[in-house]
Amino acid sequence: MNQNELYQQVILSHNKSPKNFGKPESFTHWAEGFNPLCGDHYFIYLTIEDNVIKNVFFEGEGCAISKASASLMTESLKNKTVEEADSIIKKFHDYMTLSEGDLKELGKISVLSGVKDYPARIKCATISWHTMKQAIETPVSE
Amino acid sequence: MDSNILAKIREDFPILETEINGYPLVYLDNAATTLKPKYVIDRLSKHYLYETSNIHRGVHFLSQQATTYFEEVRDKVKNYLHGNSTWETIFTKGTTGAINFVAQSFGSLLESGDEVIISQMEHHSNIVPWQMLRDRKSIVLKVAQMDERGVLDLEHLESLITEKTKLVSITYLSNALGTINPVDKIVEIAHSKNIPVLIDAAQAIAHITIDVKKLDIDFIAFSAHKMFGPTGVGVLYAKKQLLEKMPPIDGGGDMIASVRFDKTIYNTIPYRFEAGTPDIAGVIALGAAIDYINSIGLKNIEEYEHELLQYGTQKLSEIKNLRVVGTSPDKSSVISFVLNGIHPHDVGSLLDSKGIAVRTGHHCAQPVMEFFKIPATTRASISFYNTKTDIDRLVDGILYVQSIFE
């Protein structure tokens, strides 16, 4: 795989104009993800109602791979039930870290599949997903 | 450096003939580890193939021969650093091992409230051992500031010194910024208050002529692998007068004169600090690395690398939306930079796709990144086998990265 394929147009455009980027006025769940090794730093904000992820936002700073991955993730998990989201997160994680299954069934996210061939960059792709999992489990304290 | 000599030198490093992603390798990650010349590898392999033996106390030929070769390296280190019998060579696992040893051994002599001064531009290996000592002995760790160019603030350093200050520990050459620190002035300030100085020479050792006699350095630490030698070996070169007062940290074979269950008598220095079988082949190969550097001449290396650094700095500063991080007037071998709107890890991956090896990240100097309010930099670090063509390839590579992110 060539690095040009790693930096595909979809990834570059999500990096440039990330979807669902920013801190919403209200949210029910949130989490912070930080990789001190590279400085990638993201926040995930969720609104979960009746077990459905009604709204997803993220904000933070990082490399193009991490930002595009977060942006694509927010698109794919919006309006999913918590169980569906968990299953997608697990599929993505298993593919990236264990090379199990493939990303085709996850739609657009499959543009990230090349990252797996760059061991030093896998954490860039997975940081927002780890943070998402944590956010789902972390309601805003009253 | 004459282009014929340079071509000849490059032939000493077979790795330079390899291709990475279809391009001839441009190795600009010398601050992480230098490449190894065949001469050093041959010495390493000669030991294992034809000379294997443990050192000290063996009466058979091979053991005596290995002992001689191993011990000779202490003298090679002494000559390389322009030392004399005032100092002693102690072999360690590396710079980190050497600094940790001082923090544990010299550190054990400190009392609660005593102070150690480091600087804002230290590598983690000259921060964390002192934090661990702070937590163990309740000492105070003070940090001398630098300015926005990455130049150490000597006045601030001096203002931190009190009657409780017991050690100043500073890097000779910053691995993240390329700043050469004024070791002569640092030692002068510390010695005027009778405070010993430890110099972290991990980055300096292959780039700067070091004269411990002239500089009157008390402790100096470096690694073999950043001077064309093997990984896993390093040196603490220190004044005997200080070492005599310091307790051993590791107990075991070789560090003792006699062992009885009621009382053990320690060996003399340096052996007292070298428990267990050391990396014999690695130390002998360090000696070969010193011989190799001397065969080229460190003065010639300094001159050529200075020319390369100026060429690189000039070429990089012509690139739009690029900022060099670390602009001290006194620099060596390192160009750290950031590109507007492009994360260093993306820069590193895309340069790699063109066969260019640089390092991206915080370079084990997170406080430096914090100071400049950046998460990371891309660092190109040179050695004497690099060429202006390497710099030109780097410049083309950076322009390519910027074109991808346009």
Side-chain angles (χ1 to χ4, degrees), chain B residues 169-212:
Chain B
S169 186
I170 306 250
T171 186
Y172 203 131
L173 168 53
S174 158
N175 74 307
L177 300 169
T179 307
I180 302 174
N181 280 318
V183 173
D184 52 346
K185 295 197 180 98
I186 294 168
V187 172
E188 195 187 313
I189 290 168
H191 282 189
S192 72
K193 307 273 168 60
N194 293 317
I195 300 160
V197 176
L198 188 160
I199 294 297
D200 170 358
Q203 193 53 44
I205 196 71
H207 303 283
I208 298 172
T209 303
I210 299 173
D211 189 328
V212 293

Side-chain angles (χ1 to χ4, degrees), chain A residues 20-84:
Chain A
N20 306 306
F21 191 76
K23 188 178 180 180
E25 272 182 20
S26 68
F27 49 92
T28 62
H29 293 65
W30 78 289
E32 176 183 7
F34 181 49
N35 181 351
L37 288 176
C38 60
D40 284 356
H41 194 184
Y42 288 103
F43 296 84
I44 303 277
Y45 306 102
L46 307 175
T47 302
I48 301 179
E49 273 170 21
D50 303 329
N51 203 39
V52 173
I53 300 172
K54 290 277 188 203
N55 225 340
V56 194
F57 276 89
F58 84 103
E59 66 170 358
E61 280 300 328
C63 64
I65 304 295
S66 66
K67 194 172 264 179
S69 181
S71 173
L72 286 156
M73 176 189 71
T74 59
E75 283 190 315
S76 74
L77 298 185
K78 210 169 187 173
N79 294 319
K80 296 284 190 295
T81 66
V82 167
E83 289 73 24
E84 285 167 341

Side-chain angles (χ1 to χ4, degrees), chain A residues 2-4 6-7 12 15-16 36-40 62-65 121 124, chain B residues 21 341 343 345-347 349-350 352-353 361-362 366 375-376 400 404-406:
Chain A
N2 188 298
Q3 292 269 9
N4 296 340
L6 178 59
Y7 290 92
L12 292 168
N15 172 57
K16 207 169 186 177
L37 288 176
C38 60
D40 284 356
C63 64
I65 304 295
R121 306 303 302 275
C124 310
Chain B
N21 294 316
H343 193 280
H345 277 187
D346 298 320
V347 179
S349 283
L350 284 161
D352 178 57
S353 77
H362 53 54
Q366 272 182 289
Y400 165 72
I404 295 276
F405 278 86
E406 244 172 24

Side-chain angles (χ1 to χ4, degrees), chain B residues 33-47:
Chain B
T33 197
T34 57
L35 304 178
K36 321 301 170 195
K38 196 165 175 298
Y39 179 74
V40 169
I41 303 307
D42 286 347
R43 189 64 195 90
L44 195 66
S45 110
K46 185 177 167 217
H47 172 81

Side-chain angles (χ1 to χ4, degrees), chain B residues 36 41-42 66 119 161 171 176 181 278 293 301 332 334 387:
Chain B
K36 321 301 170 195
I41 303 307
D42 286 347
S119 88
I161 294 177
T171 186
N181 280 318
I293 295 173
I301 292 172
S332 167
V334 169
T387 63

